[in-house]
Amino acid sequence: MKKAIHYINQFFAGIGGEEKADYKPEIREGLVGPAIALNSILEAEVTHTIICGDNFMGSNTDEAVNTILGFLEDKEFDIFVAGPAFQAGRYGVACGTICKAVKERFNVPAITSMNVENPGVEMFKKGIYIFEGGKSAAKMREDVKTMANFANKILKGEKTGPADEEGFFPRGIRAEMWLKSGKTAAERGVEMLVKKLNDQPFETELPIPKQDRVPIAPPIKDLSKANIAMVTTGGIVPVDNPDRIQSASATRWGRYDISKIDRLESGVYKTIHAGFDPAAADADPNIIMPIDAMKAYLKEGKIGKLHDYFYSTVGTGTTQAEAARMGKEMVGKLREDNVDGVIMTST
Amino acid sequence: MKLEIGNFQVKDVVFGDKTMFKNGILTINKEEAMDFIKEDEHIIDLDIVIAKPGENIRIVPVKEAVEPRIRPDERSVFPGITGDVEATGSGRVHALKGCSVLGVGMHYGSFGDGLIDMGGDGAKYTLFSELINICIVAHTDEEFERFEQQKKNRAIRWATHRFAEYLGNTVKSLEPEEIETFELDPITKRTEEINKFPSVVLVMQPQSQMEELGYNDLVYGWDMNKYVPSFMHPNEVLDGALISGSFMPASSKWSTYDFQNFPTIRELYEEHGKSINFLGVIMSNLNVSLEQKRRSAIFVAQMAKSLGADGAIVTEEGYGNPDADYILCIAALEEAGVKTVGISNECTGRDGASQPLVTLDEKANALVSTGNVSQLIELPPAEKVIGELQALARDGLSGGWAYDEILGPSVREDGSIIMENNAMFCGDRIAGWSTKTMKEF
């Protein structure tokens, strides 16, 4: 029989609520809490339940993840299930974090469930199967069942359907499929047009994501008095990457003091961006983050001031939501120093 | 304008003593047919091979597909190509249904060429596996492009049009089994009953992006790179005014067969007088520079507006760069108050994670998707190959490759293949045949 391992938080393990949210990761043989329901429907044996406090996962993420990956190192399992997390934000993020880590390390399918309002959906839907769940534990049975049914398809090697049929949040993967209806593109197109003309509801086959456009700022009147900051998504960091910014799908950013240097030296700075050949940027980091040119402009008096730090993260695979969050955080720091303008370098 | 297409259902195609059509059997005197095709001295080696649905046959590199037709009144089937420039779209044309003439390279392929599997799993990708294909397998003296990735393939393409007309001759004076009538009254002379329905135009964007002439789709024999959008009658499209070019990756291509049978036009005719008032076709183009793209979108939106269109369907022969023309045109129509639907394929990459169209606009809120050009397809060896299998890997077909460190070459020693849908001949059936769609996974 195939094997599964289930991740739940301290609350659903019956350990305690908020006061026990710092509970360190633990692995128990057998079934705890929601694992019982999962085991009853899953066509696999749930051999272990992993329990971790939501705050512990949130505040000591690396330690929590590494401990749990360590638990799993010698275990055999075909599928990993977490939650359901409903609308519980920290629990949702924890389920997403651990599912992503387990999938990446052990290459097994990882499945979780949360409510659409849970911030974990936006953060993790790209990498893992997150099923749309209820708002509260009242939906426990249904949500567990949805996950289990899908898990059973995977376990049996059956072909799984598209997101809207199966009930998971779209992972940003679009693939072709033949329509069971056999309806041709011509028929679908004309039918869609007739509905649109008659103001009837219709469904596009390619939803265009809402674009969150930012208006272009008014020009800086006198550059020679302006305080300019440098920001990049090109992944330029000190060689030891002190903020541990990820090489793809970044959720972290850093800022690095350039007040006392004239350029970014190779060997002192490098790129950690995984989306392009790093050779040229490693040989001369200024080609992505042109501190050398900006310092020269500063000396010439072309700009009034160069902000003491440059800011860096990685753009490849990074979600719009994460990028927006990081951008807002950076803006807070830039405002503190009265920065007038930003040069954003990309790759 | 009234067009009658007289249909003759072809149940089988065989070689025999006399080229003729009788009791559903199209018989071809191969020697005479070869002589006819070889009248073009640029064809230096030639064979004619018949491939039927279900046979374990792989055809590659396919350059063009044409439905055999003839006009009883002597006008050429493809004006400007097989004869003088004359108006199409009215009168009578006879068609041999259920079959097509394919132009196939005996050795060499090019970027826009495709592959057809007549049987097995590969057959589901292309409409042409459902037809009896009369394959012109030819080698030409076009030395200037022998080893070029982009080829005009002029000799082979012209051979398919000429030969399609040649075969059409067999039914020139026969009485069709069925006559389909395509007729629209002039726009200002329509009945109240028709005028009460919302008015609709079809905007077609045929491939015309090669600045050097000879690769693009042709309208009445005219290279569409040197063309601005015009109003056309749908019958002209169905009746040989346009022929396909030799540039667009095969799965996004409209072959001449597609133009002759354009399903989206047929569907609009079907709904004419039932739910819409089909005004006609704004024949646009696809362009290189942004300025050109904008100019065409302006032309299209203005014409649609002036014609009083309430709705439009926009469809592009292509993907990638042409998506910019496609989306600009849809947005321009929406801005002009014309409710618009788009029909095209997507390019989401082999992992499905890439942005589906090169440009996006929220105004394009009603799109039909016909497939993913970069879908990987792996197929077992076929018993027989028409053409040359190596062309898929060697000659730069858009969906084939000679080397890949992970996937290996497109063509393996045992004859099995791995390719992108890109090289499936008319694989995304953008003309409207496609029963594929794209879904989020």
Side-chain angles (χ1 to χ4, degrees), chain B residues 130-200:
Chain B
E130 298 165 23
L131 303 174
I132 302 171
N133 292 305
I134 304 148
C135 306
I136 297 173
V137 188
H139 187 50
T140 76
D141 70 352
E142 291 154 311
E143 292 302 329
F144 74 99
E145 63 179 14
R146 170 82 63 242
F147 302 110
E148 295 294 328
Q149 186 176 18
Q150 295 290 358
K151 292 186 177 68
K152 298 178 184 180
N153 291 308
R154 190 184 195 283
I156 293 177
R157 285 162 61 218
W158 261 245
T160 56
H161 305 124
R162 288 180 64 240
F163 192 48
E165 195 171 280
Y166 176 90
L167 294 175
N169 268 310
T170 57
V171 293
K172 188 173 179 180
S173 53
L174 300 185
E175 199 46 45
E177 297 155 15
E178 170 207 39
I179 294 176
E180 291 181 282
T181 304
F182 299 89
E183 186 173 16
L184 292 176
D185 289 331
I187 289 173
T188 58
K189 304 280 187 285
R190 295 189 180 174
T191 63
E192 206 174 309
E193 201 191 342
I194 293 282
N195 280 330
K196 74 178 186 210
F197 293 111
S199 300
V200 170

Side-chain angles (χ1 to χ4, degrees), chain B residues 291-321:
Chain B
E291 197 176 67
Q292 294 167 337
K293 293 173 195 286
R294 284 202 175 122
R295 188 179 298 124
S296 283
I298 290 167
F299 266 91
V300 169
Q302 181 280 126
M303 264 186 263
K305 193 84 187 147
S306 298
L307 289 165
D310 303 300
I313 290 182
V314 178
T315 184
E316 61 165 333
E317 184 190 357
Y319 83 96
N321 183 295

Side-chain angles (χ1 to χ4, degrees), chain A residues 126 129 160-165 168-180 182-194 196-199 202-213, chain B residues 124-125 198 200 263-264 267-268 271 275 310-313 334 339-341 343 346 348 351-353 356-357 360-362 364-372 375 421 432-441:
Chain A
K126 270 206 157 168
Y129 292 111
T160 57
D164 58 352
E165 272 176 35
F168 58 84
F169 291 100
R171 295 177 300 155
I173 295 171
R174 288 179 65 77
E176 57 183 35
M177 65 176 285
W178 274 264
L179 286 164
K180 288 190 194 98
K183 230 180 226 184
T184 67
E187 290 165 337
R188 278 136 60 200
V190 173
E191 191 178 296
M192 201 184 286
L193 181 64
V194 170
K196 194 171 174 177
L197 285 166
N198 293 310
D199 294 322
F202 61 89
E203 207 175 319
T204 181
E205 295 178 15
L206 170 52
I208 307 280
K210 273 250 173 296
Q211 303 216 321
D212 194 6
R213 285 192 190 276
Chain B
K124 70 182 177 197
Y125 290 97
V200 170
T264 305
E267 187 63 22
L268 287 165
E271 287 304 309
S275 60
D310 303 300
I313 290 182
E334 287 284 345
K339 291 178 176 174
T340 305
V341 165
I343 302 177
E346 299 181 24
T348 60
D351 61 0
L357 301 172
L360 302 174
D361 192 309
E362 284 168 45
N365 65 358
L367 300 174
V368 172
S369 280
T370 65
N372 176 19
Q375 179 74 44
N421 175 33
W433 317 94
S434 183
T435 54
K436 277 192 296 187
T437 187
M438 292 288 285
K439 287 272 192 181
E440 290 269 358
F441 281 85

Side-chain angles (χ1 to χ4, degrees), chain A residues 78-93:
Chain A
D78 303 284
I79 206 154
F80 188 83
V81 179
F86 314 107
Q87 222 171 23
R90 281 171 301 168
Y91 189 21
V93 173

Side-chain angles (χ1 to χ4, degrees), chain B residues 26-233:
Chain B
L26 176 64
T27 306
I28 302 170
N29 179 315
K30 189 170 171 180
E31 207 183 317
E32 283 173 19
M34 301 262 285
D35 287 344
F36 172 76
I37 294 167
K38 281 202 246 175
E39 282 172 11
D40 179 354
E41 62 195 13
H42 297 293
I43 307 271
I44 53 176
D45 199 357
L46 174 69
D47 196 8
I48 301 172
V49 188
I50 297 161
K52 295 172 191 173
E55 288 183 329
N56 194 344
I57 291 178
R58 177 162 293 153
I59 315 171
V60 65
V62 183
K63 298 165 189 297
E64 170 67 304
V66 184
E67 186 172 77
R69 289 190 180 179
I70 194 69
R71 283 183 217 283
D73 68 2
E74 304 285 325
R75 282 177 299 151
S76 63
V77 173
F78 301 105
I81 305 294
T82 57
D84 292 342
V85 176
E86 288 180 273
T88 74
S90 59
R92 173 80 76 87
V93 66
H94 286 178
L96 287 161
K97 305 304 284 189
C99 68
S100 83
V101 176
L102 295 184
V104 184
M106 185 174 278
H107 304 296
Y108 294 101
S110 60
F111 183 67
D113 297 356
L115 177 142
I116 297 169
D117 265 10
M118 297 303 292
D121 194 41
K124 70 182 177 197
Y125 290 97
T126 164
L127 174 81
F128 294 91
S129 65
E130 298 165 23
L131 303 174
I132 302 171
N133 292 305
I134 304 148
C135 306
I136 297 173
V137 188
H139 187 50
T140 76
D141 70 352
E142 291 154 311
E143 292 302 329
F144 74 99
E145 63 179 14
R146 170 82 63 242
F147 302 110
E148 295 294 328
Q149 186 176 18
Q150 295 290 358
K151 292 186 177 68
K152 298 178 184 180
N153 291 308
R154 190 184 195 283
I156 293 177
R157 285 162 61 218
W158 261 245
T160 56
H161 305 124
R162 288 180 64 240
F163 192 48
E165 195 171 280
Y166 176 90
L167 294 175
N169 268 310
T170 57
V171 293
K172 188 173 179 180
S173 53
L174 300 185
E175 199 46 45
E177 297 155 15
E178 170 207 39
I179 294 176
E180 291 181 282
T181 304
F182 299 89
E183 186 173 16
L184 292 176
D185 289 331
I187 289 173
T188 58
K189 304 280 187 285
R190 295 189 180 174
T191 63
E192 206 174 309
E193 201 191 342
I194 293 282
N195 280 330
K196 74 178 186 210
F197 293 111
S199 300
V200 170
V201 288
L202 174 65
V203 180
M204 292 174 65
Q205 300 178 308
Q207 185 46 246
S208 58
Q209 291 188 292
M210 285 295 269
E211 301 281 20
E212 190 184 328
L213 304 186
Y215 299 92
N216 299 303
D217 292 1
L218 300 167
V219 57
Y220 288 102
W222 181 254
D223 193 301
M224 295 188 82
N225 186 263
K226 303 286 174 217
Y227 168 93
V228 289
S230 302
F231 186 64
M232 286 183 77
H233 197 288

